[in-house]
């Protein structure tokens, strides 16, 4: 990452050197262009060396903290109310490995089996796995993750109380436009769990979709400790300070959902999603896909899909047999994309112990599956990761974290203007929300590769991770936003609508919230 960024900073400094008085930069008056370049290069090497030293010191702490967050969730067997209230037939993982029902807590969260729809767009055709329709309250890929993680928390709390102890609290972390924060707030409330504490660690790029996610979260019950970048109840909050502030919670045995809820339990929820797709292929509800495209953030979903492919093959399900089968991941964060492009972050052995990488998460998920009594598919899953997973990391497509790139914005605009989505009966289906933060980047890669190669032998499939519903709870989210730090309020107001299908804005302070509420759906 440092090597990639160094070239950008070098050019910026050279530009500054051309427009800034030499004395202000420490360059002697009359220095030649080559002397200026040597000065800037030496300066940047010094900066890079300092950054590398800081990284060497901080990375082990970061890894230890993330692993502690992963393990704070853990695994837990179901409690009687979960067994009585949920049907094992509603969980794809339990349908194929029924013994796991008594070993791993699960809640449906009111979710349904997500369909596979067909889509036509200006002469192209592809499939869409409609994870966005998973729940009428709030869909998207986080529902699968939370079906196990929230159930594990519920079971742990019940057992702690029964044993006379204190029930663990819950904290969820994310960036300003986090889907995970919204999903956790919505589904924890519907499950009757105590409201989660929230730490919004950093802003995303201003975008109305991101502002709406924060407003949605603020409309549901949240815990007594809600912090955001810029300020908190205890004063200035920086990213490093906020991460270190998690240590006391972890020491007290509280549950801290890591970024993207990337935990072993969460990964197993995504395994179930891939088994469900395999069932749909086997039943003839959709064709066996050749390529599956999805955005990659915390790596939880992609890791679960890798494990799901390996498990489906072990179980003999007739799916994922196309000769050109691939899982195509598009990192949504520019730094993770750069690290994958230069260092093979997600697959290289040196990073297998680093959380938020696919290599680490696949190993953790496979170990959890075997620990629970399922088959050990570690070797098969790592083989899938090595030979059937490809990452698209081009800077012009990825852009910056939390916003469209120029490429994804153009692809999303074409989709909004001309996509024709149909269900299995050929009837018109709702148009997915092609958000710039997540799905549009994967969709742009799909579109480009369809255009480059023409219609493939086996259809391409987009894994639609953004919820179709933008929920609004019973709390006054507009008043809650007004109580947030000024930097957060400014960020929310700066976010502009990127889709012609969803025009709106967050109005100025003191105005009525009419500019965005028409985009939200009231959820009880």
């Amino acid at each position: 990452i440092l090597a990639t960024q160094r070239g950008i900073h070098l050019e910026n400094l050279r530009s500054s050197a051309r427009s800034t008085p030499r004395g202000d930069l420490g360059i002697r008056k009359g220095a030649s262009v080559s002397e200026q370049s040597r000065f800037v290069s030496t300066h940047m090497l010094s900066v890079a060396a300092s950054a590398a030293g800081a990284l060497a010191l901080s990375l082990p702490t970061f890894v230890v903290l993330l692993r502690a967050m992963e393990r704070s969730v853990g695994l837990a067997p179901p409690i009687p109310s979960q067994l009585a209230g949920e049907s094992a037939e509603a969980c794809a993982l339990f349908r194929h490995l029924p013994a796991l029902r008594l070993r791993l807590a699960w809640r449906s969260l009111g979710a349904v089996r997500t369909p596979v729809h067909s889509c036509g767009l200006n002469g192209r055709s592809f499939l869409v796995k409609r994870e966005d329709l998973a729940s009428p309250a709030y869909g998207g890929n986080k529902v699968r993750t939370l079906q196990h993680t929230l159930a594990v928390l519920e079971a742990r709390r019940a057992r702690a109380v029964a044993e006379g102890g204190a029930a663990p609290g819950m904290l969820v972390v994310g960036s300003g436009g986090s889907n995970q924060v919204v999903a956790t707030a919505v589904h924890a409330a519907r499950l009757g769990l105590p409201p989660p504490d929230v730490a919004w660690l950093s802003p995303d790029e201003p975008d109305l979709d991101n502002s709406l996610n924060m407003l949605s979260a603020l409309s549901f019950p949240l815990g007594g400790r809600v912090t955001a970048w810029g300020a908190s109840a205890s004063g200035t909050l920086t990213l490093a300070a906020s991460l270190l502030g998690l240590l006391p919670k972890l020491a007290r045995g509280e549950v801290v959902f890591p970024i993207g809820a990337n935990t072993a339990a969460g990964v197993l929820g995504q395994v179930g999603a891939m088994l469900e797709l395999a069932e749909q292929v086997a039943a003839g509800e959709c064709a066996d896909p050749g390529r599956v495209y999805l955005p990659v953030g915390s790596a939880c979903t992609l890791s679960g899909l890798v494990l799901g492919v390996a498990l489906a093959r072990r179980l003999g399900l007739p799916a994922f047999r196309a000769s050109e089968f691939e899982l195509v991941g598009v990192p949504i964060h520019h730094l993770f994309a750069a690290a994958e492009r230069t260092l093979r972050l997600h697959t290289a052995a040196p990073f297998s112990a680093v959380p938020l990488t696919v290599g680490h998460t696949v190993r953790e998920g496979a170990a959890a599956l075997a620990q629970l009594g399922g088959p050990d598919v570690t070797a098969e899953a790592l083989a899938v990761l090595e030979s059937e997973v490809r990452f698209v990391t081009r800077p012009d497509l990825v852009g910056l974290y939390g916003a469209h790139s120029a490429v994804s914005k153009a692809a999303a605009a074409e989709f909004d203007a001309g996509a024709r989505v149909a269900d299995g009966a050929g009837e018109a289906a709702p148009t997915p929300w092609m958000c710039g933060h997540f799905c549009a980047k994967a969709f742009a890669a799909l579109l480009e590769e369809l255009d480059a190669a023409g219609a493939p032998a086996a259809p391409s499939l987009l894994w639609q991770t953004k919820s179709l519903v933008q929920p609004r709870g019973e709390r006054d989210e507009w008043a809650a936003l007004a109580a947030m730090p000024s930097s957060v309020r400014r960020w929310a107001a700066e976010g502009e609508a990127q889709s012609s299908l969803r025009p709106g804005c967050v109005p100025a302070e003191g105005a009525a919230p009419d500019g965005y509420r028409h985009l939200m759906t009231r959820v009880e």
Side-chain angles (χ1 to χ4, degrees):
I1 294 172
L2 288 170
T4 303
Q5 296 298 316
R6 181 179 176 274
I8 299 172
H9 292 310
L10 180 60
E11 182 55 37
N12 288 342
L13 278 178
R14 282 174 173 155
S15 297
S16 296
R18 288 191 289 268
S19 60
T20 306
R22 300 296 173 260
D24 292 352
L25 286 171
I27 303 174
R28 69 176 181 81
K29 188 174 181 179
S32 66
V33 171
S34 61
E35 288 176 313
Q36 294 173 30
S37 294
R38 281 196 299 273
F39 174 87
V40 171
S41 297
T42 301
H43 175 73
M44 284 308 303
L45 284 172
S46 174
V47 171
S50 299
L55 181 66
L57 292 173
S58 63
L59 184 58
T61 302
F62 182 66
V63 168
V64 169
L65 178 60
L66 283 177
R67 297 201 70 167
M69 292 164 69
E70 285 180 345
R71 290 169 181 170
S72 74
V73 178
L75 303 170
I79 53 178
S81 61
Q82 293 173 334
L83 292 172
E86 305 290 351
S87 168
E89 282 301 305
C91 174
L93 185 63
F94 294 167
R95 286 197 294 271
H96 293 278
L97 299 173
L100 267 60
R101 188 194 182 199
L102 299 178
R103 299 169 185 168
L104 179 62
W106 180 79
R107 284 289 194 182
S108 70
L109 303 181
V112 299
R113 188 169 179 261
T114 63
V116 177
H117 288 166
S118 60
C119 184
L121 178 62
N122 298 330
R124 315 174 191 93
S125 61
F126 53 94
L127 302 174
V128 184
K129 177 63 170 164
R130 300 300 302 267
E131 293 292 275
D132 57 324
L133 302 177
S135 168
Y138 189 71
N141 61 324
K142 298 306 178 190
V143 176
R144 306 272 190 180
T145 303
L146 293 174
Q147 285 177 323
H148 287 303
T149 51
L150 285 179
V152 165
L153 174 63
E154 180 188 28
R156 287 181 54 194
R157 286 179 58 86
R159 289 193 177 93
V161 171
E163 295 168 2
M170 169 177 48
L171 174 99
V172 57
V173 301
S175 58
S178 169
N179 282 322
Q180 172 183 269
V181 173
V182 183
T184 305
V186 170
H187 292 293
R190 290 167 63 83
L191 196 55
L193 289 171
D197 289 338
V198 174
W200 279 293
L201 300 179
S202 61
D204 300 310
E205 290 296 303
D207 185 305
L208 180 60
D209 290 354
N210 294 331
S211 302
L212 286 172
N213 270 2
M214 177 172 282
L215 287 161
S216 284
L218 291 171
S219 74
F220 287 85
L222 301 178
R225 178 71 173 174
V226 176
T227 57
W229 68 91
S232 70
S234 59
T236 301
L237 180 70
T238 64
L239 179 59
S242 62
L243 287 172
L244 291 175
L246 301 178
L247 292 174
K249 289 181 175 291
L250 292 166
R252 291 195 299 268
E254 294 188 36
V255 171
V256 178
F257 285 2
I259 298 166
N262 183 331
T263 65
V267 170
L268 294 179
Q270 302 298 338
V271 172
M274 204 57 169
L275 291 177
E276 182 180 283
L277 177 59
E279 292 174 341
Q280 291 166 315
V281 171
E285 297 176 26
C286 67
D288 197 3
R291 290 175 178 166
V292 176
Y293 292 80
L294 70 157
V296 180
S298 71
C300 182
T301 300
L302 177 56
S303 300
L305 269 54
V306 169
L307 277 169
V309 170
L311 182 56
R313 290 170 175 171
R314 171 75 74 89
L315 295 171
L317 297 176
F320 318 128
R321 295 181 173 182
S323 59
E324 69 273 27
F325 179 78
E326 281 185 313
L327 295 169
V328 183
V330 181
I332 61 172
H333 198 297
H334 51 288
L335 293 182
F336 276 81
E340 175 58 32
R341 191 166 56 247
T342 57
L343 304 172
R344 295 182 63 231
L345 175 73
H346 287 295
T347 55
F351 300 107
S352 61
V354 178
L356 306 184
T357 66
V358 181
H360 169 78
T361 308
V362 164
R363 288 173 172 86
E364 289 290 303
L369 182 63
Q371 176 188 332
L372 292 166
D376 186 350
V377 294
T378 304
E380 296 100 310
L382 291 177
V384 170
L385 177 60
E386 181 63 31
S387 62
E388 297 178 273
V389 174
R390 176 166 56 88
F391 293 93
V392 176
T393 62
R394 288 194 351 252
D396 65 314
L397 190 151
V398 174
L400 295 176
Y401 178 65
H404 273 300
S405 64
V407 174
S408 71
K409 187 172 182 178
E414 182 180 357
F415 183 86
D416 288 348
R420 299 293 180 265
V421 186
D423 62 18
E427 299 294 326
T431 301
W433 190 326
M434 209 57 68
C435 72
H437 197 151
F438 301 98
C439 299
K441 296 178 181 182
F443 173 66
L446 181 154
L447 210 60
E448 284 189 348
E449 295 189 358
L450 281 180
D451 289 342
S460 296
L461 181 146
L462 177 68
W463 201 269
Q464 179 64 19
T465 61
K466 170 65 177 177
S467 174
L468 185 65
V469 173
Q470 188 72 50
R472 180 174 161 231
E474 297 182 355
R475 292 184 66 209
D476 184 347
E477 81 292 343
W478 188 234
L481 180 66
M484 296 291 280
S486 59
S487 58
V488 176
R489 300 196 303 273
R490 285 194 302 271
W491 167 83
E494 289 170 2
E496 296 181 354
Q498 304 297 321
S499 170
S500 61
L501 300 181
R502 295 173 179 83
C505 66
V506 175
E509 291 184 48
D514 300 335
Y516 66 84
R517 277 190 176 168
H518 63 284
L519 298 172
M520 305 175 83
T521 300
R522 193 61 182 263
V523 174
E524 299 296 329

